[in-house]
Amino acid sequence: MTTNRHGGDRATPSTATPELGGVSAASVPGGVVPDGVAPAAGDGGSGPAGGPGWAEESGGNGQDAATWEDLVSAALVGTDRRPVPGRPSVAPPVDLLEQAAVRVMRVRAGQRPHRGRPLSPAPPETRPLATRTASDRLARILAGEQGRLLAEWLEIAAGSGVRVPARLIPKLLDLGARDQSIRGHLGVLAGARGRWLAGLNPAWSYLQAEPTDGYAGSTDVWEFGTSGDRRAYLAALRAADPTAARELLARGWSEETPEDRAAFTHLLAEGLTMADEPFLEEALDDRRREVRQAAADLLTRLPGSRLGTRMAERAGRLLTRDGDRLRAEAPKACDSRMERDGVRARPPAGTGQRGWWLQQVIAHTPLSFWTGRFGLSPVEITTMEVGDWAREVRMGWTRAAILQRDGVWARALIEVEPLTDLLAILPPAEQSRVAAEFVRRHPVDGQMIMMLGGIPRPWGTPLAKAVLEKIVNTSTAQPWNAGELARLAGERFDPAMYGLVARLSDLSEVREVSATLRFRYDMAGELAADGSGEGHAAESMAGLTAGPTGGITAGFMDVPAAGPTGGIAAGPADGSVGGFTGGPAAGPDERRTDDGHGTAAQEDGGPLGEEDK
């Protein structure tokens, strides 16, 4: 138990850090944690792992034997500067390495556990298990089949209110330790068993900070919840009552950890208004750079903020109009006032200091300042010649458009450089159209792959058609690029299109798209909240075939052929999809809280449950 931010007791999960020679619950047979652990064999004593012990080998009685910390310290600074007790006949560096090797082998050989205590059982689960078919598909994904779809499976499952079977939790937690993007879903899907396991393995301790949905509707979550639960609570409150959320955060602001302060500041983006400006202005004085940066980014979205005014004054001196061109002059120094306003003094590797400062000043200047100062539209401004520092100026405008979510500036800048972050500002239909135009006009290269990779699913009809055309046109000359486009298409198209895509071409890349879409369609059906994916599929297909000319099917009819065996075949004359069948539906009886073997779940999880057998 620890005390919460208001002086009360706050429960915190145990995350013991194992020392060299210590044991953990996971490493002791039978799941027994020793109350005390004897020194490893040979560390100041004798035992089966160490035989007579290092003390005898070095001619001493064990009192002068170097500790592990001594060995590490000597290895870092050198045995000449920090000698360690050893054998005089052996060179000190060699002796140090041999001593370290002996100690490591003794630790690996084991320790002598003393009287122990059984592990407490895992708390009872509140979420039902995913169906057997859904769990089996997850196991296949973890084994390598369509492995790139893991994040989508987790996202759908988390929204469906289920949890994963215990046998798959360790593999998922190992993956989460390497991939932060899936951690948010694991906090919910791993359930009570996952959090229990995370408390026994330091490598999985990250799970303790993720949302668990265990405090849904509870008024205690803000005081006693995990970091993730508290973020979720504040986000929900911010969406419902922005003022109440800001006031709640302000009351305990000084007692929050730096990490939480930075995370909570980002959440204020929802419902941001000038009423938040005083709080964010004060946050610019925070000791944590991430907090200051988050506050500055939000204040940039408020043209009337004090930070916006200060940045406009700086930018007005650095970028001026000279006839039909712009003249830029980078700052000569980054003072403390600039740093307080979110300008980072140290540039990334390979970036010049002055250019980096100029870019950041422009990025945090309200975009409305430029149109008012120059009396020109965003398109006219972004196409003007800048001369020196041109790239830094345009990068600053790009960052400003992203921070301020300004669609007018985003459209103007996309014409200069079609970045995914700029596309994300546009409405979905426009985003699909603009991306489709870029795909048609440009060859397949790294820039196109990066742009498409940043566009979320599902892709709109214009983009889907353009990408299929590009796959067909590049399959012969650039099979590697066509393959990467096929993988992206399979992951981003609406999965209900699998029947349509399958009938369009015999190309292997197109068949790959169809196979991935069918995999995703079946996956969604298995995880649907009502146990069936038919309703979702019917709705999706209705949207795809709508319109006087047959909707998307008719739209794909004019995709150019790639030859007798590689072209895209025409579909039925009536524009129907054809060959469409729904994925296997999981019956209502498969939605259960046991392990899928017909045995009711135990009252508590226990170290081992039916799911693990």
Side-chain angles (χ1 to χ4, degrees):
M1 300 287 289
T2 61
T3 57
N4 66 14
R5 59 192 52 76
H6 298 298
D9 291 333
R10 175 176 179 177
T12 54
S14 173
T15 55
T17 303
E19 301 292 341
L20 185 67
V23 296
S24 65
S27 65
V28 178
V32 176
V33 179
D35 290 332
V37 178
D43 289 346
S46 62
W54 183 264
E56 294 182 13
E57 295 178 30
S58 59
N61 58 7
Q63 299 300 318
D64 297 331
T67 65
W68 178 255
E69 289 73 16
D70 293 335
L71 297 177
V72 172
S73 179
L76 289 173
V77 303
T79 54
D80 291 340
R81 297 176 58 188
R82 187 162 299 175
V84 297
R87 294 168 292 175
S89 61
V90 181
V94 175
D95 188 36
L96 182 148
L97 294 176
E98 289 183 352
Q99 289 192 50
V102 169
R103 284 182 175 272
V104 170
M105 291 304 296
R106 285 171 175 167
V107 170
R108 290 179 177 176
Q111 299 83 20
R112 296 195 304 270
H114 285 190
R115 182 183 58 185
R117 54 182 172 79
L119 290 171
S120 59
E125 300 287 0
T126 58
R127 281 189 162 217
L129 275 169
T131 63
R132 180 192 293 274
T133 51
S135 299
D136 288 346
R137 188 176 296 273
L138 173 60
R140 289 157 53 193
I141 292 174
L142 292 174
E145 181 181 356
Q146 297 285 1
R148 288 167 46 142
L149 300 181
L150 174 62
E152 184 176 359
W153 192 101
L154 297 176
E155 178 185 343
I156 299 174
S160 298
V162 300
R163 60 184 169 89
V164 299
R167 61 188 171 87
L168 300 179
I169 293 176
K171 177 66 173 177
L172 286 169
L173 294 184
D174 280 341
L175 290 173
R178 302 190 299 269
D179 183 358
Q180 295 187 19
S181 67
I182 66 174
R183 291 182 180 180
H185 297 315
L186 292 183
V188 173
L189 294 173
R193 182 73 58 84
R195 294 187 293 278
W196 179 80
L197 288 171
L200 302 175
N201 185 349
W204 299 340
S205 61
Y206 67 85
L207 195 72
Q208 307 285 7
E210 297 302 327
T212 65
D213 85 350
Y215 288 90
S218 171
T219 57
D220 294 333
V221 61
W222 186 247
E223 294 295 332
F224 302 105
T226 66
S227 296
D229 283 328
R230 298 181 73 229
R231 291 195 303 271
Y233 179 87
L234 184 64
L237 181 60
R238 179 70 175 180
D241 190 342
T243 300
R246 184 186 66 251
E247 291 175 349
L248 174 66
L249 184 58
R251 282 197 294 271
W253 179 255
S254 61
E255 299 175 22
E256 300 290 354
T257 66
E259 294 78 12
D260 282 346
R261 291 200 304 272
F264 293 152
T265 302
H266 284 290
L267 296 178
L268 297 181
E270 176 73 24
L272 183 69
T273 66
M274 279 298 293
D276 301 308
E277 196 266 354
F279 177 84
L280 293 172
E281 177 71 24
E282 186 176 345
L284 292 176
D285 293 316
D286 196 277
R287 297 186 303 274
R288 187 72 173 230
R289 177 176 59 82
E290 291 82 359
V291 178
R292 300 194 303 270
Q293 189 68 55
D297 288 349
L298 291 180
L299 288 169
T300 300
R301 293 175 53 181
L302 300 172
S305 67
R306 283 169 282 179
L307 179 137
T309 301
R310 294 192 297 270
M311 284 297 188
E313 291 174 356
R314 295 182 182 111
R317 296 192 297 267
L318 299 176
L319 185 62
T320 58
R321 184 175 179 180
D322 183 12
D324 59 353
R325 57 175 293 170
L326 299 176
R327 184 181 301 278
E329 179 65 30
K332 293 181 171 59
C334 180
D335 57 33
S336 59
R337 291 173 298 177
M338 290 173 63
E339 290 195 65
R340 179 183 182 272
D341 286 346
V343 178
R344 296 168 58 183
R346 180 176 298 179
T351 303
Q353 272 191 335
R354 297 182 63 194
W356 172 240
W357 300 334
L358 174 63
Q359 176 185 331
Q360 292 178 90
V361 169
I362 292 178
H364 288 90
T365 299
L367 289 168
S368 57
F369 168 76
W370 301 114
T371 52
R373 181 178 180 83
F374 297 145
L376 300 173
S377 69
V379 171
E380 293 171 322
I381 294 173
T382 55
T383 54
M384 292 180 73
E385 182 183 350
V386 178
D388 293 340
W389 312 105
R391 178 163 179 78
E392 287 76 11
V393 169
R394 290 198 172 90
M395 290 176 67
W397 282 334
T398 298
R399 178 64 176 160
I402 294 168
L403 288 175
Q404 299 171 43
R405 305 199 64 78
D406 191 308
V408 176
W409 275 83
R411 293 182 186 94
L413 291 164
I414 284 173
E415 295 300 320
V416 179
E417 189 172 6
L419 299 176
T420 303
D421 289 340
L422 290 172
L423 285 173
I425 301 172
L426 306 179
E430 184 179 1
Q431 182 182 119
S432 178
R433 178 183 57 78
V434 173
E437 292 174 357
F438 179 84
V439 169
R440 290 193 179 95
R441 293 199 310 262
H442 294 80
V444 182
D445 55 14
Q447 183 186 24
M448 179 183 293
I449 297 298
M450 287 182 60
M451 182 201 70
L452 293 174
I455 300 177
R457 61 178 186 274
W459 288 351
T461 300
L463 180 56
K465 179 185 176 184
V467 170
L468 280 178
E469 290 175 349
K470 189 67 72 173
I471 290 173
V472 171
N473 293 334
T474 59
S475 60
T476 302
Q478 296 177 294
W480 56 91
N481 283 333
E484 183 57 33
L485 283 179
R487 284 186 285 274
L488 280 173
E491 296 165 13
R492 306 300 171 88
F493 283 13
D494 189 319
M497 293 171 56
Y498 76 87
L500 169 63
V501 174
R503 300 178 58 257
L504 292 178
S505 175
D506 291 330
L507 280 172
S508 60
E509 291 84 0
V510 176
R511 291 199 304 270
E512 178 184 348
V513 174
S514 177
T516 303
L517 293 175
R518 178 59 192 260
F519 189 96
R520 292 174 56 214
Y521 178 83
D522 292 344
M523 179 175 76
E526 294 159 359
L527 290 169
D530 62 351
S532 172
E534 294 176 358
H536 167 73
E539 181 180 353
S540 298
M541 293 308 298
L544 291 172
T545 58
T549 60
I552 191 170
T553 303
F556 278 130
M557 291 308 168
D558 59 356
V559 177
T565 61
I568 293 184
D574 61 0
S576 62
V577 175
F580 175 80
T581 57
D589 61 326
E590 290 191 79
R591 179 71 48 161
R592 50 181 28 166
T593 57
D594 57 43
D595 65 329
H597 294 282
T599 304
Q602 300 179 8
E603 181 65 22
D604 53 57
L608 286 176
E610 289 295 321
E611 301 160 282
D612 303 288
K613 296 182 179 178

